[in-house]
Amino acid sequence: MWNDLHDRFHQNNGPRVFQIKQLLSVLYQGSDEVDGVINWQNARYKVEILSHPLYDHVFDIDEMLHVAEAFIDKSYHPTIISYIKALEDVVVVLDKISMPIDTKDRATMLGLVKSCIGTKFTSQFGNLTADLAIDATTTVGVDLGQGLREVDIKKYIKVEKIPGGQLEDSQVLKGVMFNKDVVAPGKMRRKIVNPRTILNAPLEYEKEEDWGVLLKMEGEYIENLCVQILKFKPNLVITEKGLSDLACHYLSKARVSAIRRLRKTDNNRIAKAYGAVIVNMVDELQEFDVGTGAGLFEVKKIGDEFFAFIVDCKDPKACTVLLRGANKDLLNEVERNLHVYVLTMRHLM
């Protein structure tokens, strides 16, 4: 037995705590508990260990098992214990070399971000990408109190890459943009200053009845929905669902622009950007659900596509980073660099 223990304690093998526990538990017939093993080996210690020729080289099993008992109960492997110790040492070193920073000092933050990724492709354009990252993360940051700050870059920062123009034309929009046009371009306005917006009001009738009474029921249903919506005097309606021709007629007649089939993620960013509340049932619509925080709604044609801009928001908590460049390959590389900048800013904040 002791030859086996000596082999296990050899300096080239290292302590094998779990194997020792298993061996001693098998040899002791009265109890499988660690305390029982310790009592048993105490008796053996007095009789055999003191007279053993390797006594000077054998570890004190009492002390070792006493220290290891807490780790055995938690089923820790020796390598895990080493990593925990290393982590504690790293924390101590970081506490010594770290220094406080003011996240509101733009020059300091710019220097830190550039020092982290100064070798990236976009470093040749100066502070352009770093400025975009700082503006974006500062916009979407939300104070949670007690010194905590949430920066959800996945949900509320979206990068739109549009080939054409110069890289210097890239900017962070104080609001959102998405690849949509109004439902009826000839009848609905593409530019509205200080829009009043209603989000996610479904304006179509689910066709489940016979065709004979379908048109009449659909007309009454859509008209009732439009009356309830127009009661709040909006000039922009955005929905994730469809919008029927009849609803389009009533809205355009009241000079209300509409956008349909918007993605849910874009709808959430609009709500976060300027305070509108997403309402799934028109019957539940209230005055405080109407979004009034945007300064401008405008549809622009860039290249061959139309893009809707809702910008100049008062206190936006979502934004869009608009990237312009010569081609898609350049924009993809800039986006990858920008992602690293944004992650760096997120950890600093």
Side-chain angles (χ1 to χ4, degrees):
M1 165 187 169
W2 297 114
N3 291 333
D4 188 22
L5 286 179
H6 175 259
D7 293 338
R8 296 178 188 277
F9 284 137
H10 195 272
Q11 60 181 356
N12 294 331
N13 295 334
R16 307 290 289 273
V17 176
F18 296 106
Q19 294 183 12
I20 294 173
K21 178 188 174 185
Q22 182 180 8
L23 174 63
L24 294 181
S25 298
V26 172
L27 292 176
Y28 181 59
Q29 302 298 324
S31 172
D32 291 334
E33 300 294 333
V34 175
D35 292 339
V37 176
I38 294 176
N39 293 333
W40 174 84
Q41 62 85 28
N42 275 337
R44 300 287 298 177
Y45 179 83
K46 294 179 180 179
V47 176
E48 298 185 12
I49 295 294
L50 294 178
S51 60
H52 197 279
L54 297 176
Y55 168 72
D56 294 336
H57 304 286
V58 176
F59 290 104
D60 189 348
I61 303 176
D62 277 343
E63 184 64 23
M64 186 197 70
L65 289 178
H66 177 71
V67 174
E69 182 178 1
F71 299 103
I72 294 173
D73 293 340
K74 296 181 180 180
S75 301
Y76 279 176
H77 192 275
T79 56
I80 297 179
I81 300 174
S82 301
Y83 282 121
I84 293 176
K85 178 59 178 175
L87 177 61
E88 293 175 352
D89 294 341
V90 169
V91 172
V92 172
V93 173
L94 289 178
D95 287 339
K96 292 180 180 179
I97 66 176
S98 62
M99 57 180 293
I101 60 172
D102 183 8
T103 58
K104 296 181 180 179
D105 186 351
R106 188 179 184 88
T108 301
M109 300 300 289
L110 186 61
L112 289 172
V113 173
K114 291 181 63 179
S115 66
C116 294
I117 46 180
T119 59
K120 293 292 183 180
F121 167 76
T122 54
S123 61
Q124 60 183 299
F125 298 101
N127 301 334
L128 175 64
T129 314
D131 284 330
L132 294 176
I134 293 175
D135 291 339
T137 51
T138 304
T139 299
V140 303
V142 178
D143 291 323
L144 302 179
Q146 299 181 351
L148 300 177
R149 186 173 177 85
E150 180 186 35
V151 182
D152 195 335
I153 63 177
K154 183 177 181 180
K155 290 183 178 179
Y156 302 125
I157 296 180
K158 183 179 180 181
V159 178
E160 286 283 356
K161 299 173 292 184
I162 303 179
Q166 300 294 324
L167 187 60
E168 288 76 8
D169 297 332
S170 303
Q171 59 179 311
V172 176
L173 303 177
K174 299 299 182 181
V176 298
M177 67 167 289
F178 41 89
N179 191 0
K180 287 286 183 180
D181 193 7
V182 294
V183 178
K187 300 179 181 179
M188 295 180 175
R189 292 178 290 172
R190 282 179 168 163
K191 184 176 181 179
I192 302 173
V193 179
N194 299 323
R196 289 175 53 86
T197 308
I198 294 178
L199 296 181
N200 209 36
L203 290 171
E204 60 181 354
Y205 183 72
E206 298 182 2
K207 301 174 176 61
E208 300 177 356
E209 305 293 338
D210 294 336
W211 186 260
V213 294
L214 177 62
L215 293 178
K216 181 178 179 181
M217 295 182 64
E218 180 182 8
E220 294 176 353
Y221 178 78
I222 296 298
E223 182 180 8
N224 181 47
L225 289 180
C226 292
V227 168
Q228 294 185 61
I229 290 175
L230 295 175
K231 181 173 60 176
F232 295 94
K233 299 180 180 179
N235 44 29
L236 178 62
V237 174
I238 299 176
T239 177
E240 297 175 16
K241 304 183 183 301
L243 190 143
S244 68
D245 294 339
L246 187 59
C248 179
H249 166 72
Y250 286 125
L251 293 179
S252 61
K253 187 177 180 179
R255 292 181 56 78
V256 176
S257 298
I259 293 177
R260 62 183 173 186
R261 296 190 177 92
L262 188 69
R263 286 181 295 184
K264 186 175 182 62
T265 54
D266 289 333
N267 211 22
N268 290 334
R269 291 190 303 113
I270 293 174
K272 196 75 171 179
Y274 67 105
V277 178
I278 298 176
V279 180
N280 294 318
M281 299 295 294
V282 177
D283 297 338
E284 301 174 356
L285 187 62
Q286 301 182 34
E287 178 62 31
F288 60 80
D289 296 329
V290 181
T292 58
L296 177 67
F297 164 78
E298 186 175 9
V299 176
K300 297 180 181 179
K301 186 177 182 181
I302 304 177
D304 296 330
E305 300 184 62
F306 288 93
F307 292 88
F309 293 77
I310 301 178
V311 293
D312 298 338
C313 299
K314 296 178 181 178
D315 186 22
K317 295 304 177 185
C319 68
T320 298
V321 181
L322 175 60
L323 296 181
R324 304 300 308 275
N327 52 61
K328 291 185 177 180
D329 293 334
L330 172 64
L331 292 176
N332 290 335
E333 182 63 26
V334 173
E335 182 185 20
R336 285 191 290 268
N337 293 176
L338 178 64
H339 181 66
V340 179
Y341 278 95
V342 170
L343 289 177
T344 303
M345 274 297 302
R346 178 178 179 271
H347 290 296
L348 289 174
M349 297 180 69

